[in-house]
Amino acid sequence: MLVIISVSRLDNDRVEIRVARPQHDSNPVQEYPSEKEARAVLLDFGISQEAIDSHLKLLAQMGANEKLTFPPMDIPQHELLSRGFRL
């Protein structure tokens, strides 16, 4: 399934991951208590370690609730569902 993944850091230092389908209104969100847990989810989605490192480093320099988006990617629906993202 083609999706767009974005990440943001919340006021409470939790990391939020959003998954959106292009041309759809569905935009499920999951929050993770640590960057380490969010990193594990992003790796499971097939995002490269380098891209994750870059995005999380930028997030640390940005204000709370600002969003960074990864390029669109194809992720199997069962992988999204296993992580709580219902599209």
Side-chain angles (χ1 to χ4, degrees):
M1 174 181 298
L2 185 65
V3 294
I4 299 169
I5 309 272
S6 61
V7 293
S8 58
R9 188 174 306 277
L10 305 175
D11 288 329
N12 57 7
D13 234 19
R14 293 173 67 89
V15 178
E16 179 182 83
I17 298 177
R18 289 183 177 271
V19 176
R21 287 178 61 193
Q23 309 292 323
H24 289 81
D25 292 332
S26 179
N27 193 11
V29 177
Q30 294 288 328
E31 289 183 19
Y32 299 91
S34 70
E35 187 177 291
K36 182 179 178 179
E37 289 181 63
R39 180 184 300 275
V41 172
L42 296 170
L43 283 169
D44 285 348
F45 285 164
I47 299 173
S48 73
Q49 184 71 48
E50 295 80 19
I52 294 169
D53 289 346
S54 172
H55 277 62
L56 293 178
K57 184 178 178 181
L58 282 173
L59 271 184
Q61 299 170 12
M62 298 168 59
N65 300 315
E66 292 191 55
K67 182 172 65 170
L68 289 174
T69 303
F70 292 94
M73 61 188 62
D74 191 29
I75 300 175
Q77 188 170 10
H78 71 272
E79 184 66 41
L80 295 168
L81 289 172
S82 74
R83 293 299 189 159
F85 293 98
R86 299 198 188 319
L87 294 170

